Amino acid sequence: MSFPKDFLWGAAAASYQIEGAAYEDGKGLSVWDMLCRVPGAIWNGHTGDVADDHYHRYAEDVRLMKEIGLKAYRLSISWPRVIPAGTGQVNEMGLDFYDRLIDALLAAEIQPWVTLFHWDYPYDLFCRGGWLNPYSSDWFAEYVEVVVKRLSDRVRHWMTLNEPQVFIGLGHQTGIHAPGLKLDWPEVMKAWHNVLLAHGKAVQAIRVSSKTASVVGAAPTGFIAHPATELAADIEAARLATFTVREKSVWNHHLFYDPIYRREYPPEAAAVFGRAMPQVKSGDMEIIGQPIDFTAFNYYQGMAIRAGADGYPEVVPHAPGAALTLFHWHVTPQGLYWGPKFLYERYGKPIYITENGCSGMDWVALDGKVHDPARIDFTRRYLRELSRAIADGVDARGYFHWSIMDNFEWAEGYKHRFGLIYVDFATQQRTLKDSAYWYRDVIASNGAHL
Ligand code: FCB
């Protein structure tokens, strides 16, 4: 397997999932602090109050990242840690933490890739309507400006939002994630549109305020189909399935990226969403369509598609017993070939995989080590597909494994361990899993070890 010389080998995590210190040093509440208090909302009543205690142990965590040889680390900033009420008063102690973290990363020669919003939305703004409020995009831009002014002398790489498909879909439509709303489609799509405006205004704020040349994108997710065979008709069906809004759902990449790159919603969306289609005011698409520098996405599982009798895409069901991760997500590495290929063909920008990984039942064995062969095999398969895409001309430049360490997996609490580093949540002791050593060798050999 070969990868471009300066391929970016990374790993990722997110503020609420690892930081803890939920009520320290002036941090405001987030909607996840709120949801964690709702009985039955989170598996076993877990919370992110302490999580990996990364807020206090970041120096040790950066040392471990260096031991693995990470070239880049994708972190997120907690908005209410920086601006406790979401707008207005800035919390210097919160900014100081990110200062220290960025400095530690740079000292370890690890490039920080910063996500500005990975779901810990300020509670006070939620009480003012959250993403439904017409000012929500301005609130976000105000916060982004504060962060960028403070960190952009050292940070060049930014992602505005993590997975709007999930924080809107699960957070505002099915109610499984914070803030736990079950809105009707007109409100869901109003929130969606505000989120796109927030992305656009954030890009503007980064460009205006950055002290260095910025590299900007986002980290969405969505449906990726791979063709059941390499027959041209199946490939076409998979492409069509990937880029068609077929039902009322936000689980699509192009519902996010078409407005950004093409300044329009996918043409088929209006018929599907009907009266729920967001109102696009004049000037909105110019804001949303600010030029960005890369197309990134998070990928875990996809679906095989073939051309049906009429050429129309048809789902090929997974075979009984097909490989599953602990989350019961299907092991479908093909998506790391076809996903990058389809998105690169459609938008023509460099590709980054901002998340990919699997949860397993890991524990410290009697020999004191954490053996996680399934994670190694999973990642190997996915990375080999990515390498194949690169060999076929896709300009994919980086890969961030999810996650650097076990952490608070949202509504699933600590049930799922996604980390390369095992965390004992009772003692906060960290142990590098076999996969961490394996990934270290992959990085050191620039993928030849795959
Ligand atoms: C993604 C999230 C990330 C993590 C992984 C498993 O949807 O972005 O925070 O929970 O799933």
Side-chain angles (χ1 to χ4, degrees):
M1 295 294 125
S2 71
F3 284 82
K5 183 167 70 25
D6 41 9
F7 190 78
L8 202 66
W9 298 98
S15 46
Y16 189 73
Q17 294 180 277
I18 63 167
E19 285 178 3
Y23 308 102
E24 277 180 55
D25 289 351
K27 174 183 162 291
L29 292 179
S30 80
V31 293
W32 275 96
D33 295 313
M34 172 183 85
L35 191 73
C36 285
R37 258 129 215 106
V38 175
I42 316 290
W43 187 71
N44 271 358
H46 292 165
T47 76
D49 287 2
V50 177
D52 298 60
D53 195 31
H54 175 71
Y55 187 78
H56 299 113
R57 295 168 194 263
Y58 71 91
E60 176 186 356
D61 293 337
V62 172
R63 266 200 305 282
L64 294 172
M65 291 177 203
K66 190 175 168 66
E67 196 175 328
I68 297 171
L70 291 192
K71 303 250 180 276
Y73 170 54
R74 175 175 173 239
L75 63 119
S76 82
I77 307 254
S78 161
W79 180 351
R81 199 183 284 292
V82 171
I83 305 184
T87 60
Q89 188 68 42
V90 171
N91 175 32
E92 286 302 321
M93 284 187 284
L95 279 175
D96 289 348
F97 166 66
Y98 295 108
D99 253 348
R100 294 194 293 276
L101 173 58
I102 298 296
D103 287 346
L105 289 166
L106 292 175
E109 291 176 69
I110 298 168
Q111 209 177 80
W113 279 56
V114 174
T115 308
L116 289 152
F117 179 67
H118 198 132
W119 306 357
D120 36 6
Y121 192 82
Y123 171 76
D124 283 22
L125 294 184
F126 165 69
C127 294
R128 294 164 69 183
W131 291 115
L132 288 167
N133 189 301
Y135 294 108
S136 53
S137 53
D138 297 318
W139 296 336
F140 186 59
E142 175 193 330
Y143 149 72
V144 169
E145 187 185 326
V146 168
V147 173
V148 170
K149 281 193 168 149
R150 180 67 171 258
L151 300 180
S152 64
D153 55 335
R154 288 153 292 155
V155 174
R156 289 191 54 212
H157 299 90
W158 304 95
M159 286 142 290
T160 55
L161 306 165
N162 183 71
E163 298 187 351
Q165 288 82 354
V166 174
F167 72 80
I168 294 300
L170 299 189
H172 293 72
Q173 199 247 326
T174 66
I176 294 168
H177 277 195
L181 300 179
K182 293 182 184 169
L183 301 174
D184 196 5
W185 280 102
E187 284 75 46
V188 173
M189 295 311 290
K190 180 190 279 213
W192 182 262
H193 191 66
N194 285 337
V195 160
L196 277 166
L197 286 166
H199 161 85
K201 291 183 186 176
V203 177
Q204 289 174 327
I206 297 169
R207 301 294 191 205
V208 168
S209 300
S210 183
K211 297 176 181 151
T212 47
S214 52
V215 183
V216 185
T221 191
F223 182 64
I224 289 191
H226 56 265
T229 74
E230 303 237 339
L231 289 175
D234 286 348
I235 294 174
E236 199 34 52
R239 184 183 288 110
L240 193 63
T242 300
F243 296 123
T244 306
V245 178
R246 206 174 297 286
E247 52 176 7
K248 285 199 185 76
S249 157
V250 290
W251 191 248
N252 277 286
H253 279 289
H254 70 316
L255 199 59
F256 182 72
Y257 275 133
D258 272 16
I260 292 172
Y261 282 120
R262 301 182 167 185
R263 299 191 169 185
E264 61 177 21
Y265 277 107
E268 75 279 11
V272 174
F273 287 107
R275 69 181 183 90
M277 201 57 197
Q279 253 191 359
V280 180
K281 290 197 294 300
S282 108
D284 282 4
M285 284 302 176
E286 285 65 42
I287 294 169
I288 293 169
Q290 295 302 301
I292 57 172
D293 303 303
F294 57 87
T295 304
F297 66 100
N298 300 345
Y299 176 73
Y300 291 90
Q301 63 167 344
M303 221 177 251
I305 293 284
R306 68 179 161 227
D310 52 1
Y312 211 65
E314 194 174 271
V315 171
V316 181
H318 296 284
L324 291 172
T325 70
L326 180 63
F327 230 125
H328 289 189
W329 293 348
H330 279 96
V331 179
T332 50
Q334 305 93 318
L336 268 202
Y337 176 81
W338 293 100
K341 192 172 168 65
F342 289 157
L343 285 154
Y344 186 57
E345 283 169 358
R346 191 172 178 96
Y347 303 118
K349 287 280 182 184
I351 300 284
Y352 287 90
I353 308 304
T354 31
E355 282 180 28
N356 169 247
C358 68
S359 61
M361 292 193 284
D362 310 321
W363 63 80
V364 182
L366 286 173
D367 62 4
K369 298 179 176 165
V370 181
H371 303 296
D372 57 343
R375 178 168 294 101
I376 295 175
D377 188 69
F378 175 101
T379 311
R380 209 165 159 227
R381 288 173 188 270
Y382 279 63
L383 279 172
R384 287 167 79 102
E385 290 295 306
L386 182 62
S387 162
R388 200 159 73 82
I390 295 169
D392 282 358
V394 174
D395 183 8
R397 299 190 184 173
Y399 169 91
F400 292 85
H401 191 80
W402 184 272
S403 172
I404 184 62
M405 58 185 134
D406 295 338
N407 59 48
F408 175 80
E409 179 46 40
W410 309 113
E412 299 287 318
Y414 297 96
K415 186 203 290 172
H416 289 276
R417 294 182 173 276
F418 272 93
L420 295 166
I421 299 170
Y422 180 91
V423 178
D424 178 333
F425 293 104
T427 62
Q428 291 297 343
Q429 189 176 331
R430 276 83 162 128
T431 307
L432 265 61
K433 300 181 191 177
D434 288 356
S435 57
Y437 293 109
W438 170 83
Y439 194 46
R440 178 192 64 187
D441 295 344
V442 170
I443 297 172
S445 67
N446 197 32
H449 187 68
L450 283 170

